[in-house]
Amino acid sequence: MISLLSGIDSTASALDAERVRMDVISENIANANTTKGLDGKPYQRHQVVFESVLNAHQTSEAGGPAPQTTQIVRIATDNRPPRMIYNPTHPDANAQGMVATPNINIHEEMVDMIASSRSYEANIAVAKNAHAMAMQDLSIGKH
């Protein structure tokens, strides 16, 4: 059987990976001012680490090589030290009046979010085009 949507696995894995990336970025933005987490420390920024996997030992249904997929290797914690802000009235201030806040740059997060969103949109376009081509292939058989 010939697969009409060959490569859709690659696109689907990329969509899933970018969705997780956007979730992690959203979590970073939401916790940009969290001075005390469950561990008692300021929130630490997270990043998604991707890996492209080529299934060299497998073949697709069409007989060619299997498509390359994107997998999430891990969600890494950024080890940058917290920013110290002078605010002696804050409940988490130390004896010197300094508060440890997450070292999250909202501008950096927004750039990452835009890049991830654009990648997601591009993969949606690939899936739509694959669907349109498959429908055209099916309509050829009707004539």
Side-chain angles (χ1 to χ4, degrees):
M1 177 178 173
I2 296 175
S3 174
L4 296 175
L5 297 175
S6 62
I8 200 71
D9 290 339
S10 178
T11 300
S13 70
L15 284 168
D16 188 48
E18 289 300 337
R19 180 193 51 78
V20 171
R21 181 178 173 201
M22 285 189 276
D23 288 346
V24 168
I25 293 166
S26 297
E27 181 181 311
N28 289 339
I29 292 170
N31 286 292
N33 295 315
T34 303
T35 58
K36 192 179 274 187
L38 295 175
D39 60 358
K41 298 177 184 176
Y43 177 83
Q44 287 187 288
R45 179 177 186 261
H46 296 101
Q47 288 181 299
V48 178
V49 178
F50 296 132
E51 177 180 71
S52 293
V53 178
L54 181 61
N55 298 322
H57 301 294
Q58 298 179 347
T59 58
S60 69
E61 292 177 11
Q68 187 170 344
T69 59
T70 303
Q71 294 180 351
I72 296 171
V73 176
R74 69 184 180 283
I75 297 177
T77 301
D78 190 339
N79 291 324
R80 289 185 274 189
R83 288 180 296 137
M84 300 302 288
I85 296 174
Y86 182 72
N87 186 354
T89 61
H90 193 283
D92 295 328
N94 63 17
Q96 292 79 32
M98 302 299 284
V99 179
T101 62
N103 196 351
I104 294 175
N105 182 330
I106 295 297
H107 303 290
E108 180 182 357
E109 298 301 322
M110 290 307 297
V111 168
D112 285 349
M113 182 67 84
I114 290 168
S116 182
S117 176
R118 297 270 166 85
S119 179
Y120 192 88
E121 290 170 1
N123 280 292
I124 289 288
V126 168
K128 285 181 181 178
N129 287 335
H131 179 264
M133 289 189 316
M135 296 310 290
Q136 286 178 347
D137 287 348
L138 288 173
S139 70
I140 290 172
K142 291 181 181 179
H143 293 91

